[in-house]
Amino acid sequence: MRTSLNTIPLLLLMLSFDLWADCLTGADVAKSTDVTLFEQVSHVNRQALVWRINGKNPYTQNNTFNNLGLKLSGGCSVIDNKLALDYTLYGLTYYSVHTPGKFEEDDHRSRALIDRLSLVYTISESILLEAGKLIAKPGLFLLRSPSALHRAYSASFKSTRLYDPSMAAGYEESPWAAKLSADTRDWSLSLTVVPKLADIDRRYESAGNWSADQRSNSSEEYLLSYTDNRFGDYTPTFNLKLGDSHSLAMANSYSYSPQLVLNAEVAYHAEQQWRHLSEQNAAKVENYQFPSSLYSTRQKEGVELAVGGQYTSDNFSVYGLEYYFQSEGYSRAQWRKQTDLISFLNTRTGYSVVDRAFDSYKYLMASEISNTGSKGMLQGKHYLNAWASLLSDDQSRLQPYLTVNLMDSSAMFGVHYSTPLNSIDERLEAYTGVFTSQGSSDSEFALFGDTLGVYLGFKYYL
């Protein structure tokens, strides 16, 4: 499967190379490529948590990180008005003052990522064919959009990431895919084919340590999307996913006024969307039996629902409020079973073989829970998300956000501030912020410890 990871981009780059040789000459690339440099320092404090590895906290309680990043994005015309090349590439690295804990270690502290690399062929004025590494279309909601049926895993580092002013997820892998789309004034229709290029065989590790194909192309998908623009203030969209799993989703955006937009999305899934703890295997562990896996997905139907709205003020500040529900989220009893198992595995038996096996299970559980979040999924059933983006006259922006698990009252809160530094250089932007996750030790957002972090960064647009 790893051969596929190398073959696809090589074919994309080599196919008809003579045609785009002029497009990729040094002078042309310099003219068409936007370069952004990142520099960020962050400090994270994590309080004591329920996890123990060899009797010790698997996180450093206090650590400081230095992140560096390079982003290249642009495109060029291979054949005028017919064929174009688009690309966005990242180079990322980080260093920490203290050695990361057992749950924070990455295989590599530097990564090169392909965010987008695609050829776009214009068949007619309204029909396009795209092929390559494509960015999946987002839904209407900031927290979680049920209608976004393709979900890849994040490529972020375990312990740190660059914080983006848009509050977007950090480096979610985009899939290798082919997309045929038709856009008219009245409607839009698209078909996206995502091939399966890899199997996930190391679920006991963070998704950031997997291959790019494992994060983005570990299942075969056929995605059909239709949007109708003929209903005035309503804009309905219907999405269908076939392949290794089957889902049907509908989204609708209603413009109550030019400033107030109300959104709703609902999705039906024929199978579970993420791996859940097997209570039967958990019981085996508690009886000192050792199953090969603790988590799995079942052929169990599920429903997701999101409703909310956003208001835009006269000065273009935006305020949003969202509610999210998923039927397959853990109930209180199911979640308690998971935290009870963690507590049981923390017990030291005095037998080194058994204690090492218990530590291995804790690694597995922590990775499974973390990777669920890395895929954009949540673990509970009911959530409330509030956010704002406040724009000032000097183009600085303040972005507070709050997410609450309504079942266990744990919460994530943060404030992000960004401002251009025109007095120094018009191409320089500074940003800073604070984030925290709080709750009881057995709650979702504090399961890995109450966390408080601060960061300061700069972006330089060359």
Side-chain angles (χ1 to χ4, degrees):
M1 289 301 177
R2 290 184 181 274
T3 303
S4 300
L5 175 62
N6 298 323
T7 301
I8 292 178
L10 284 175
L11 286 177
L12 185 63
L13 291 174
M14 294 176 64
L15 181 65
S16 303
F17 184 82
D18 289 340
L19 286 177
W20 68 50
D22 292 337
C23 171
L24 296 180
T25 59
D28 204 69
V29 169
K31 187 194 309 184
S32 61
T33 300
D34 295 322
V35 180
T36 306
L37 301 177
F38 304 86
E39 160 67 23
Q40 175 185 290
V41 176
S42 58
H43 180 81
V44 179
N45 172 272
R46 194 184 297 268
Q47 296 300 314
L49 64 165
V50 297
W51 305 86
R52 289 289 183 271
I53 297 295
N54 196 23
K56 299 178 182 178
N57 188 340
Y59 284 95
T60 51
Q61 184 171 350
N62 287 282
N63 211 343
T64 301
F65 303 93
N66 184 33
N67 285 81
L68 298 171
L70 171 68
K71 176 183 177 182
L72 305 174
S73 61
C76 56
S77 177
V78 180
I79 302 174
D80 288 344
N81 301 318
K82 276 295 181 182
L83 186 63
L85 174 69
D86 291 325
Y87 52 89
T88 302
L89 313 173
Y90 282 96
L92 305 169
T93 189
Y94 82 94
Y95 302 92
S96 57
V97 172
H98 303 292
T99 302
K102 294 294 185 181
F103 278 2
E104 299 174 291
E105 294 174 328
D106 291 289
D107 285 352
H108 305 284
R109 295 196 183 184
S110 297
R111 288 180 187 157
L113 303 173
I114 303 174
D115 189 48
R116 179 183 176 95
L117 179 62
S118 65
L119 286 171
V120 184
Y121 180 68
T122 302
I123 298 176
S124 69
E125 186 176 333
S126 60
I127 301 178
L128 295 178
L129 176 62
E130 300 175 73
K133 206 165 179 65
L134 309 181
I135 297 176
K137 184 178 179 181
L140 301 173
F141 293 91
L142 185 67
L143 178 63
R144 164 78 183 136
S145 286
S147 69
L149 297 181
H150 174 81
R151 282 286 169 173
Y153 292 88
S154 169
S156 295
F157 296 111
K158 280 186 181 180
S159 56
T160 183
R161 72 175 178 88
L162 290 168
Y163 292 88
D164 191 276
S166 66
M167 296 187 292
Y171 318 113
E172 180 179 291
E173 282 286 357
S174 49
W176 293 105
K179 179 179 179 181
L180 181 64
S181 59
D183 289 289
T184 71
R185 195 168 135 188
D186 295 330
W187 52 267
S188 299
L189 179 66
S190 69
L191 172 64
T192 304
V193 178
V194 181
K196 181 176 181 178
L197 302 177
D199 289 305
I200 299 174
D201 55 3
R202 296 183 299 161
R203 293 190 180 275
Y204 53 86
E205 289 191 4
S206 166
N209 290 331
W210 299 346
S211 71
D213 276 359
Q214 288 174 319
R215 289 191 294 263
S216 63
N217 287 81
S218 57
S219 62
E220 182 179 296
E221 298 178 0
Y222 302 89
L223 302 162
L224 184 66
S225 180
Y226 174 78
T227 300
D228 202 304
N229 302 314
R230 294 173 292 184
F231 293 94
D233 295 329
Y234 294 90
T235 308
T237 296
F238 302 89
N239 295 329
L240 174 66
K241 181 174 75 171
L242 301 174
D244 290 346
S245 61
H246 304 81
S247 299
L248 177 64
M250 183 180 74
N252 192 18
S253 180
Y254 170 55
S255 297
Y256 181 83
S257 71
Q259 293 177 296
L260 179 61
V261 178
L262 304 177
N263 300 314
E265 293 185 5
V266 63
Y268 163 79
H269 306 289
E271 300 87 11
Q272 288 183 334
Q273 296 296 286
W274 45 277
R275 290 165 60 88
H276 293 63
L277 177 68
S278 166
E279 295 189 11
Q280 293 80 6
N281 285 346
K284 288 181 180 179
V285 172
E286 291 172 345
N287 286 309
Y288 296 95
Q289 302 174 37
F290 301 99
S292 60
S293 178
L294 293 178
Y295 291 80
S296 62
T297 54
R298 293 189 294 166
Q299 298 289 323
K300 185 177 181 181
E301 299 176 342
V303 174
E304 288 182 278
L305 171 69
V307 294
Q310 58 187 53
Y311 176 80
T312 305
S313 67
D314 291 336
N315 69 343
F316 300 103
S317 292
V318 184
Y319 306 84
L321 183 65
E322 306 169 352
Y323 166 76
Y324 171 73
F325 163 79
Q326 60 173 344
S327 63
E328 71 172 283
Y330 286 121
S331 66
R332 283 189 174 90
Q334 291 170 330
W335 181 256
R336 191 180 308 113
K337 182 62 182 177
Q338 185 163 240
T339 56
D340 286 347
L341 180 59
I342 297 170
S343 297
F344 172 81
L345 293 173
N346 280 332
T347 304
R348 310 306 290 176
T349 67
Y351 296 95
S352 59
V353 174
V354 176
D355 289 340
R356 285 198 299 270
F358 281 5
D359 281 347
S360 295
Y361 277 124
K362 282 179 282 188
Y363 274 117
L364 185 151
M365 293 183 71
S367 293
E368 289 276 6
I369 295 169
S370 177
N371 288 338
T372 297
S374 173
K375 198 177 182 182
M377 303 295 184
L378 298 155
Q379 304 254 335
K381 289 184 177 292
H382 303 276
Y383 296 86
L384 191 66
N385 186 46
W387 55 275
S389 182
L390 311 175
L391 183 65
S392 300
D393 293 338
D394 62 357
Q395 299 305 302
S396 62
R397 192 175 290 274
L398 183 69
Q399 296 170 294
Y401 56 93
L402 170 67
T403 302
V404 180
N405 181 322
L406 297 177
M407 292 181 61
D408 62 23
S409 299
S410 62
M412 295 189 301
F413 171 75
V415 179
H416 182 97
Y417 175 76
S418 60
T419 183
L421 298 178
N422 294 331
S423 59
I424 301 175
D425 192 320
E426 292 183 352
R427 295 172 294 178
L428 184 62
E429 176 186 333
Y431 62 91
T432 186
V434 59
F435 60 91
T436 182
S437 61
Q438 301 290 324
S440 61
S441 61
D442 58 355
S443 62
E444 179 178 5
F445 293 138
L447 186 65
F448 294 99
D450 286 341
T451 303
L452 176 65
V454 294
Y455 56 92
L456 172 66
F458 298 91
K459 288 186 174 184
Y460 190 70
Y461 304 93
L462 295 178

